[in-house]
Amino acid sequence: MTLTTSTRSRSRWRTRFTGLLASAISALGMAAIFVTVPAASPAVAADPYGGYLFAYFTGESTADGEQIRFAVSRGNDPLKYDVINQGRPVLVSTVGTRGVRDPFIMRKQDGTFVLIATDLRIYQGAGWDASQRTGSRSIVVWTSSDLVNWSAPRLTTVMNSTAGNVWAPEVYWDSSLGKYVMFWASKLYSTSDPNHTGSTYNKMLFSTTSDFVSFSQPQVWNDPGYSVIDSTVIASNGTYYRFTKDERTNSSGSRCGKFITEEKATSLTSRSYTFVKDCIGSGAINAGEGPTIFKSNTEGRWYLFIDEFGGRGYIPFTTTNLDGGTWTEATGVDLPASPRHGTVMPITTTELKRVAGATSQISTTTGWRSMQTVTAGATNRYWAHYAFNGITEAITGSSSAALKADATFGVVPGLADSSCYSFRSKNHTDRYLRHYGFALKADVLVDNSQFRADATFCATPGKSGQGISWRSYNIPTRFIRHYGNTLYVAANGGSRSFDSTGNYAADVTWLNQAPWAP
């Protein structure tokens, strides 16, 4: 049956949107256009940034905690993330100690990607002291052209035998040198102490590379006379800002021990950075390490994630003035469980969708339709709305006409993207299904981009092997799922009950059936 326009309001937005709805009307009853998705090509950030990739590890208390996990942001929100691969490791080291910590990921000058990490396994390992005396002097390296397909891990030695460890390597491109500058922490021992039995402390060193295979002779970069580790750097307006963990014990003589110090310089490899601020994180966290810094994709704001080791993992802080040194704990945060020392990297919308596995789209039947669940024991249930909340409802031929209408929706070209779809209520034709706070609502059409994006869903092959799974247009990690008879946009893994991995594939799969209310 064809949708009519008799119930449209006369608002300005509806007038502007008439063309799209008219296209939807004429298309109903016809086959939808098949969406062809181009194959992934080497990633060059020519497109505007549309999100963030978060690489991290989760700690040494579990067998797989010292491996690399990924999460991606919900669009351009720098503080909210969904896990990839159900929260399981994406990259696993099979070299060196077979443990990896402190992942640092970056976009190289050629548009490809490199991820480097500390070669360290504390879980059932030799312990912290031994790891700094006779630990690995290598880093683990992965490369990728698309953030999805990665090389095998490669072990690269960067320090000679005077070093007891190589921790938390990071890299920054130095245009003045035309090379990448890699920096890390090492304890250095005297050549007369080959067994590394003496007392020393961690210093920050650096080396340069063009290919992440060969590195220049390391040089001491930061040695304040006491142990420092975990430096991270960002440049802005010709100045490099460096953030480093003060490793001293927190006491009256070193009140900023176990917190972060900010410095700045106009040369990345300078040995004389100027002090900006210390004790960053004090008062908000118990102790901090592993800082990672990045700039907002949408405004003049920076985010500094500090790892509250032994506590909650990463806690985000923010500022609009790098020179001021004042960092405020961010609010409205939704991070993966126990994220430890890693990297947040800006990525494009295309890259975000690719990492989220959201590039595959299919066509489906438009017009008045009803969406049936395939979950065992619930195949008599269909999408419906009750008090304008999205639910599943058991429908049979003897159900009331009102209930059948509640379970019928007009499948039309997507309000935000005509290659995807939107769902118009049968009995309240000014309302469309949208996600709001992850729950689906049948809300009155509103003239703004947020509503249109929230009310657009892309058809993908059903995750249970049949039917359709409906992916959120603006949160590509999330699909329409029924959980407790309520409709949500749910991720496959997360802290919320409706993000549970149990039965996920069936719960996000639907059959596009003939309408209950034609």
Side-chain angles (χ1 to χ4, degrees), residues 205-507:
L205 293 92
F206 80 89
S207 178
T208 62
T209 184
S210 298
D211 56 11
F212 293 90
V213 175
S214 299
F215 292 84
S216 68
Q217 183 68 28
Q219 302 178 55
V220 173
W221 186 38
N222 184 15
D223 178 6
Y226 53 84
S227 186
V228 289
I229 62 173
D230 295 352
S231 285
T232 193
V233 168
I234 196 167
S236 179
N237 297 323
T239 298
Y240 293 94
Y241 296 86
R242 180 173 70 185
F243 301 82
T244 304
K245 180 192 179 186
D246 180 339
E247 264 282 70
R248 292 176 294 180
T249 299
N250 187 277
S251 65
S252 58
S254 53
R255 64 182 183 85
C256 293
K258 307 304 182 187
F259 291 105
I260 307 303
T261 299
E262 178 184 353
E263 303 163 289
K264 65 180 181 179
T266 56
S267 169
L268 176 59
T269 55
S270 171
R271 275 71 156 186
S272 300
Y273 274 64
T274 301
F275 174 82
V276 176
K277 183 74 173 179
D278 57 6
C279 281
I280 297 174
S282 178
I285 58 178
N286 293 324
E289 65 183 16
T292 186
I293 187 168
F294 62 99
K295 188 178 184 296
S296 166
N297 290 340
T298 59
E299 60 177 327
R301 179 176 292 279
W302 288 264
Y303 292 90
L304 181 69
F305 285 20
I306 301 176
D307 180 357
E308 186 186 46
F309 61 98
R312 296 166 289 177
Y314 264 137
I315 304 298
F317 294 80
T318 185
T319 189
T320 57
N321 180 12
L322 289 173
D323 288 304
T326 299
W327 292 86
T328 304
E329 184 177 357
T331 58
V333 176
D334 192 358
L335 301 185
S338 303
R340 299 288 311 280
H341 188 171
T343 321
V344 178
M345 180 183 71
I347 55 176
T348 68
T349 299
T350 298
E351 291 164 349
L352 189 155
K353 289 181 178 180
R354 187 185 302 139
V355 175
T359 55
S360 177
Q361 291 179 207
I362 60 174
S363 62
T364 191
T365 305
T366 54
W368 295 120
R369 308 295 295 171
S370 293
M371 298 293 162
Q372 180 184 10
T373 181
V374 303
T375 302
T379 55
N380 64 334
R381 304 190 75 87
Y382 294 78
W383 289 6
H385 59 83
Y386 178 77
F388 304 124
N389 293 310
I391 61 170
T392 61
E393 185 67 72
I395 309 290
T396 67
S398 60
S399 296
S400 68
L403 187 55
K404 290 179 178 178
D406 285 345
T408 301
F409 297 88
V411 181
V412 302
L415 301 181
D417 184 337
S418 61
S419 71
C420 297
Y421 301 88
S422 293
F423 306 105
R424 186 183 181 192
S425 168
K426 171 70 174 179
N427 51 359
H428 296 275
T429 53
D430 60 343
R431 291 179 178 267
Y432 287 77
L433 278 183
R434 67 174 297 199
H435 63 85
Y436 185 82
F438 300 120
L440 262 62
K441 309 284 185 182
D443 281 348
V444 175
L445 191 63
V446 176
D447 178 15
N448 63 52
S449 59
Q450 184 69 57
F451 185 99
R452 294 193 290 272
D454 289 349
T456 299
F457 302 87
C458 302
T460 70
K463 290 188 176 294
S464 71
Q466 61 178 316
I468 296 169
S469 289
W470 292 103
R471 173 177 59 80
S472 166
Y473 172 75
N474 55 352
I475 311 181
T477 49
R478 292 183 170 268
F479 289 77
I480 296 179
R481 180 187 194 177
H482 68 95
Y483 190 87
N485 299 331
T486 299
L487 294 177
Y488 299 95
V489 285
N492 193 3
S495 59
R496 298 173 180 82
S497 59
F498 57 82
D499 289 330
S500 66
T501 58
N503 221 40
Y504 183 85
D507 290 350

Side-chain angles (χ1 to χ4, degrees), residues 139-157:
I139 63 170
V140 182
V141 183
W142 284 270
T143 59
S144 175
S145 63
D146 59 7
L147 297 173
V148 174
N149 300 290
W150 290 87
S151 68
R154 171 168 50 84
L155 197 65
T156 299
T157 300

